[in-house]
Amino acid sequence: MKGIMIPSEVLTKEKNIAVIVAHPDDETLWCGGTMLLHPDCNWFVACLCRKNDADRAPKFKKVLEILKAEGIMGNLDDGARQRRLDRKAVKRVILELLPKQSFNLIITHSPFGEYTRHLRHEEIGRAVIALWKDKKIKTKKLWAFAYEDGNKEYYSQAIKDASIYQTLSQDIWEEKHRIITEVYGFQKTGFEAKTTPKSEAFWEFENPKDALNWLDKKEIENKET
Ligand SMILES: [Zn+2]
């Protein structure tokens, strides 16, 4: 399904929402504005890496309070070498961290990532879609983050022709930027602060088949270019 929809309209009925991300900061960067706009939804953030990170883990908890969300962290390998993870292990950790299997909406990484390039983002996006296909998790809709950085040409930007695209108000963006710089403590001149998108976008899927077809089509396009 294509066309611009504003999350404030879509989310009125979507109450139980799981956000499944790689790192403490991904929830804020890629959907923090959407979360801030909808404090009445039941947000649960599963962050798969950095549970034992003495710096980031406590900050993640503070951010959850600001975003009015519950959440949990896992300890998937996140070393600098970014070795590819076993697909089954990624799926197992997701299932272990989610408090239940059924949601109105799941928001997660794109299997193509949000910038060039972080393997964990891509692996997690793929694992969530695979779990949905195998009926290990249920959701009425899945939103994959829709961002790209022009192959490192610029900081990640929301994709305008994604299913859902919303430009944030200055207030909401400033709150997002404050979380990144003051709560997580990233430098204002650093990658995270400079990236913090002013618009948020998502690819929306209503069933796993559509998500997998989209994945195949994109992979073919990527090979051709
Ligand atoms: Zn990340």
Side-chain angles (χ1 to χ4, degrees), residues 20 26 51 54 79 89 96 102 156 158 165 170 213:
I20 304 172
D26 286 320
K51 184 185 180 180
E96 279 168 7
S102 184
S156 293
Y165 180 94
Q170 185 67 16
N213 286 342

Side-chain angles (χ1 to χ4, degrees), residues 21-26 29-30 56 109 114-115 118 120-121:
V21 290
H23 307 105
D25 73 1
D26 286 320
L29 286 174
W30 316 120
R56 296 271 284 284
H109 291 289
E114 289 68 44
Y115 54 84
H118 204 307
R120 287 295 168 271
H121 293 198

